[in-house]
Amino acid sequence: MADSFTLGTVEVSLSPQERFEEFLQSRGKRITQQRRVLVEHIFRRHEHFDADELTDELGRRDISPRVSRPTVYRTLSELVDAGLLRKFEIGGRSVYEHDYGYPQHDHMHCQTCNKLYEFSNDELAQLRDRVAREYGFRVTGHRFIITGICQKCRAAQQQRRKRPVDLV
Amino acid sequence: MADSFTLGTVEVSLSPQERFEEFLQSRGKRITQQRRVLVEHIFRRHEHFDADELTDELGRRDISPRVSRPTVYRTLSELVDAGLLRKFEIGGRSVYEHDYGYPQHDHMHCQTCNKLYEFSNDELAQLRDRVAREYGFRVTGHRFIITGICQKCRAAQQQRRKRPVDLV
DNA sequence: ATTTATGCAAATCCTTTGCAAATCT
DNA sequence: AGATTTGCAAAGGATTTGCATAAAT
């Protein structure tokens, strides 16, 4: 995330793949087929996802290497450590999103369709730091999720309300 | 305690116990010994807790009635529905706190000692509503958790850093 | 040649559920 | 009496772990 704000450093020019390899080497860990495939797959598109989706997509396919569930979990955890992914819990399960090279943002969670929407607001971090300072708390991050019903679902509810009978 | 924030309504005069009984009756549910014990126990002190703690404290004691784990879970869920408790997930497990008659607030989570600290800030809700309006999102609530290291743990770290050798 | 990583199966942890017995109204 | 609740044991779902084999340095 912050790398896009620290222009001029080495990090900004590295792809997620390269950044992860750097991280692995710095820890004496190995660059394996499955770690490569996972990073490639995860950073192919910017979306929220969970361990189960990855296992479905990479765990039972013809192309090798296949990636097993334990490896998915182990690698996700490394990617979080490496600062490439951010993890958070929604409804008892872990959801991940890109962190590396992606600007700071927060979320709105629609309790009807279960979608996560992103937004960013500069004031929030300021407010956060102000509060923390007041308590002598050293901030490493925050999680702000607005829960409610998104525009789309609200519109759908309106529709339903207007009809005399629900035909479904 | 916090009842003083909704002056003038009927609710303010009801204790959590009474409020829960009202809720149960409105749904044709029964006022049982274990539900009574749970509410009494939970609202005895204002703290964060989880299902496991309750089971430990009420599940294996001499005083009857004892409360089983399933009943703890079932009742917690009713208390959330009744608006007496608020539930949220931290580190994969559900944590509960008083909601009824307690003023809106947010949290700081210390990743060292794992404690939750409360704070409240008026600007936050305003910021939230402003953002939501912008997206046509209907707000039902939010979750704001600042993560980091609390003053106490920071002090402890300082101590350790100063010593020539860690004797533990 | 070593050492780390993987995949399998099984274990864990938290939470939920089916069902007979106990408890409310 | 009649319906809801309870507790038990067992099931569930997500995540983690032990260990033998495979892969990377």
Side-chain angles (χ1 to χ4, degrees), chain B residues 6-150:
Chain B
T6 49
L7 295 166
T9 66
V10 177
E11 287 77 35
V12 294
S13 53
L14 297 180
S15 69
Q17 199 69 252
E18 294 168 324
R19 178 72 192 75
F20 191 40
E21 299 190 358
E22 193 181 73
F23 169 84
L24 291 171
Q25 290 179 331
S26 76
R27 304 225 177 172
K29 291 175 164 234
R30 293 174 179 174
I31 299 164
T32 64
Q33 297 281 308
Q34 3 305 74
R35 296 213 250 239
R36 241 198 281 270
V37 167
L38 276 166
V39 176
E40 144 72 19
H41 185 83
I42 287 170
F43 282 90
R44 197 181 186 81
R45 47 192 162 50
H46 180 71
E47 270 168 45
H48 299 91
F49 61 92
D50 61 22
D52 221 48
E53 288 176 56
L54 293 180
T55 307
D56 273 1
E57 293 160 4
L58 303 175
R60 28 164 160 268
R61 57 177 199 166
D62 305 326
I63 323 152
S64 91
R66 221 166 290 181
V67 185
S68 71
R69 189 179 298 280
T71 296
V72 165
Y73 276 103
R74 287 187 277 236
T75 306
L76 281 175
S77 153
E78 290 162 350
L79 287 167
V80 170
D81 286 349
L84 295 201
L85 292 181
R86 197 179 302 146
K87 168 187 180 179
F88 51 99
E89 338 254 332
I90 280 194
R93 59 193 305 123
S94 294
V95 177
Y96 298 83
E97 67 174 12
H98 297 180
D99 190 355
Y100 181 66
Y102 201 74
Q104 161 67 40
H105 62 275
D106 293 282
H107 301 92
M108 291 183 288
H109 179 227
C110 176
Q111 51 204 180
T112 298
C113 65
N114 208 34
K115 270 206 201 76
L116 273 181
Y117 295 87
E118 297 182 355
F119 72 86
S120 66
N121 184 298
D122 300 332
E123 297 170 61
L124 188 64
Q126 294 169 23
L127 191 158
R128 174 195 73 183
D129 294 340
R130 222 179 308 131
V131 170
R133 195 174 309 124
E134 208 175 299
Y135 288 84
F137 196 84
R138 195 176 111 232
V139 176
T140 59
H142 74 262
R143 194 107 298 162
F144 183 40
I145 300 179
I146 302 178
T147 53
I149 303 173
C150 72

Side-chain angles (χ1 to χ4, degrees), chain A residues 30 32 34-35 66 68 71 74:
Chain A
R30 293 170 180 178
T32 64
Q34 5 300 77
R35 296 214 248 239
R66 222 167 289 183
S68 71
T71 296
R74 288 188 275 236

Side-chain angles (χ1 to χ4, degrees), chain A residues 134-153:
Chain A
E134 209 174 298
Y135 289 84
F137 196 85
R138 192 176 115 234
V139 176
T140 59
H142 73 262
R143 193 105 300 159
F144 183 39
I145 299 179
I146 303 178
T147 52
I149 303 173
C150 72
Q151 199 160 36
K152 221 168 173 175
C153 289

Side-chain angles (χ1 to χ4, degrees), chain A residues 73-92:
Chain A
Y73 277 103
R74 288 188 275 236
T75 306
L76 281 174
S77 154
E78 290 161 350
L79 287 167
V80 170
D81 286 349
L84 296 201
L85 292 182
R86 197 179 302 148
K87 168 186 180 178
F88 51 101
E89 338 254 333
I90 281 192

